[in-house]
Amino acid sequence: MARRFYLEGKSKIQIAEEFGVSRFKVARVLETALERDLVRIEIRVPAELDAERSDALRGRYGLRHAVVVESPAEAEESPDPENLGEVAADLLGELVAEGDVLGLAWGRSTIHMAAALDRLPPCTVVQLTGVYDAGTAERGSVEAVRRAAQVSGGDAHPIYAPMLLPDVATAAALRSQTGIARAFEYFDKVTVACVSIGSWEAGISTVHDMLTEEERGHYASLGVEAEMSAHLFDAEGRRVGRDLGERCITVEADRLRRIPEVVAIAGGQRKAAAIDAVLRSGLVTSLVTDTAAADALMTAGPTPRPALNRADPDGL
């Protein structure tokens, strides 16, 4: 019975029918096999994975998945260690099912994740944001989308456009272009999304670096703590500076909120406050981070509402 159950994957009902006994008898036999050491069960946690912190972080924020990996002592203050991408690639391989639509937003961590992908069920891959610089598309979001589609064997829908445009009219005109409009049509079909999180400071937020000094000051005065896919958040997870989105090629926050699984990849102590803010927004369901950020998150202000309660904190 133990061989059938543990090695062959048969159910207790199937085993009961085979041996002509009740399923309760099967359950008792399996318990006895464990008690007598006839069967040994081992749970092996990868060396770099911190299971205790992962469980604690998932519980604090009410996340569906939280994966915390060890961060080297010398890199604790560095944002988004590259090993986060590798761990996120493994998680994505578990979350994505055949026929899903995978959405990838711009970000260094999502680019590292795509490069680390080695397995992915057949799925469609769509780009959720424009690129940091249209001239770097081959090394950034477009290539990440192509890489994921290549691994999965599915269709790719990249966006050949900058994330931030100089004005609303230019952004609207680009959204109406055939290729970009086709990608936008897939946004409502996305089942799993991967996003990055940036702190509102130079070198850590893509949007921050693309704005003028005057614009940065304006949004800072609104209390911006974090940025994700060109959406800005204050420390409580409320969206601020919504006018910026009108100039951006990006998935709308309301659409992002409707995606069943949104995985954020972000780490480092410097990003902890930004990660906390985005998690409080309810837009993210799962997180891949490191021990430096996790330790800061566990003491970051009052306990937030569960992330799986995905109502807009602004009530809008």
Side-chain angles (χ1 to χ4, degrees):
M1 288 184 182
R3 182 180 296 277
R4 295 284 194 277
F5 186 74
Y6 291 107
L7 299 183
E8 299 176 12
K10 297 289 184 66
S11 70
K12 293 176 184 177
I13 293 177
Q14 290 173 318
I15 297 170
E17 291 175 349
E18 179 183 350
F19 286 87
V21 298
S22 72
R23 67 180 185 277
F24 304 106
K25 174 66 174 179
V26 174
R28 287 196 296 270
V29 170
L30 295 177
E31 289 176 4
T32 301
L34 287 170
E35 292 169 357
R36 295 184 180 180
D37 209 24
L38 297 176
V39 174
R40 296 180 182 180
I41 298 176
E42 292 185 6
I43 299 176
R44 295 187 177 182
V45 178
E48 65 178 357
L49 176 64
D50 192 310
E52 185 176 343
R53 283 185 173 92
S54 298
D55 286 341
L57 202 59
R58 184 175 64 250
R60 173 174 169 80
Y61 287 92
L63 296 166
R64 187 171 290 124
H65 305 281
V67 182
V68 179
V69 299
E70 294 287 347
S71 51
E74 65 274 12
E76 283 188 353
E77 303 237 349
S78 301
D80 300 340
E82 288 194 21
N83 65 334
L84 293 185
E86 298 173 3
V87 175
D90 289 338
L91 177 61
L92 213 59
E94 298 291 336
L95 296 179
V96 176
E98 183 173 351
D100 275 350
V101 177
L102 171 64
L104 300 181
W106 195 96
R108 297 178 186 88
S109 55
T110 52
I111 291 170
H112 291 151
M113 180 277 299
L117 281 172
D118 58 10
R119 62 186 176 90
L120 205 58
C123 64
T124 298
V125 186
V126 61
Q127 193 169 323
L128 295 178
T129 64
V131 297
Y132 174 59
D133 179 350
T136 64
E138 291 300 317
R139 302 190 301 276
S141 304
V142 170
E143 182 55 34
V145 169
R146 286 175 174 166
R147 166 66 182 167
Q150 180 184 34
V151 172
S152 75
D155 293 333
H157 295 276
I159 293 177
Y160 296 95
M163 181 188 294
L164 179 66
L165 282 304
D167 53 62
V168 174
T170 303
L174 274 178
R175 290 192 202 100
S176 66
Q177 289 189 357
T178 303
I180 297 175
R182 186 177 297 117
F184 267 63
E185 289 174 359
Y186 274 90
F187 286 178
D188 286 331
K189 303 175 185 177
V190 174
T191 49
V192 181
C194 251
V195 300
S196 296
I197 296 173
S199 299
W200 195 246
E201 55 181 301
I204 305 185
S205 165
T206 300
V207 172
H208 179 282
D209 292 346
M210 288 191 287
L211 295 173
T212 66
E213 192 64 37
E214 182 180 355
E215 290 171 328
R216 293 171 190 162
H218 166 66
Y219 291 116
S221 70
L222 300 179
V224 175
E225 185 71 54
E227 172 262 318
M228 180 183 69
S229 303
H231 300 294
L232 309 182
F233 305 86
D234 67 11
E236 299 301 319
R238 294 181 294 254
R239 284 197 296 137
V240 296
R242 299 187 184 209
D243 60 304
L244 181 65
E246 297 177 4
R247 293 170 48 196
C248 294
I249 303 297
T250 185
V251 60
E252 300 95 326
D254 291 340
R255 277 177 159 175
L256 199 59
R257 196 180 300 279
R258 292 195 295 269
I259 296 174
E261 185 74 72
V262 179
V263 181
I265 313 168
Q269 190 172 358
R270 289 177 64 187
K271 275 196 176 182
I275 297 170
D276 176 65
V278 171
L279 292 183
R280 290 173 185 272
S281 75
L283 290 173
V284 170
T285 62
S286 299
L287 175 70
V288 177
T289 191
D290 64 351
T291 52
D295 287 344
L297 287 169
M298 291 306 297
T299 58
T303 302
R305 62 180 184 163
L308 296 183
N309 172 12
R310 303 182 73 187
D312 191 323
D314 295 333
L316 303 176

